[in-house]
Amino acid sequence: MSESDIDMDRAMQGIDCEVPKITWTNCADKRPPYDPIIIKDMRSSAIYRTHGEGFLLCQRERSYGFTGSLKDYEWTPYTPEKWKELNK
């Protein structure tokens, strides 16, 4: 039995079930804070770990792949648990 099978079995039983709930906010509705955040590109589903300040600057300059308008992106506050869950 693989580690992921064991983890799934434990999650199904409610053991060690600490999967973080990820709530996304559209950047057009609420600008991201200057704190560490996770950005999701709604067009490609790509995720990025950055600071809100860096994202807004790159998006304004159309650099580092952040093209399109703010409505094309969603953000959530960064935590190591969320980042790990999104990169499974």
Side-chain angles (χ1 to χ4, degrees), residues 1-9:
M1 186 177 259
S2 72
E3 184 176 336
S4 63
D5 290 335
I6 293 168
D7 289 345
M8 180 59 78
D9 187 50

Side-chain angles (χ1 to χ4, degrees), residues 17-78:
C17 191
E18 295 182 24
V19 175
K21 178 164 174 30
I22 300 174
T23 303
W24 296 97
T25 302
N26 190 281
C27 291
D29 296 335
K30 184 176 179 184
R31 295 267 178 139
Y34 290 114
D35 300 326
I37 59 172
I38 300 170
I39 291 285
K40 178 169 63 172
D41 186 333
M42 300 299 296
R43 300 163 298 168
S44 67
S45 297
I47 58 168
Y48 307 91
R49 183 176 63 181
T50 187
H51 281 78
E53 179 180 29
F55 165 73
L56 292 172
L57 179 64
C58 291
Q59 199 276 332
R60 186 172 61 234
E61 294 177 352
R62 304 283 193 240
S63 59
Y64 294 102
F66 292 121
T67 60
S69 68
L70 289 176
K71 68 178 177 51
D72 295 324
Y73 298 94
E74 291 183 331
W75 65 271
T76 190
Y78 169 81

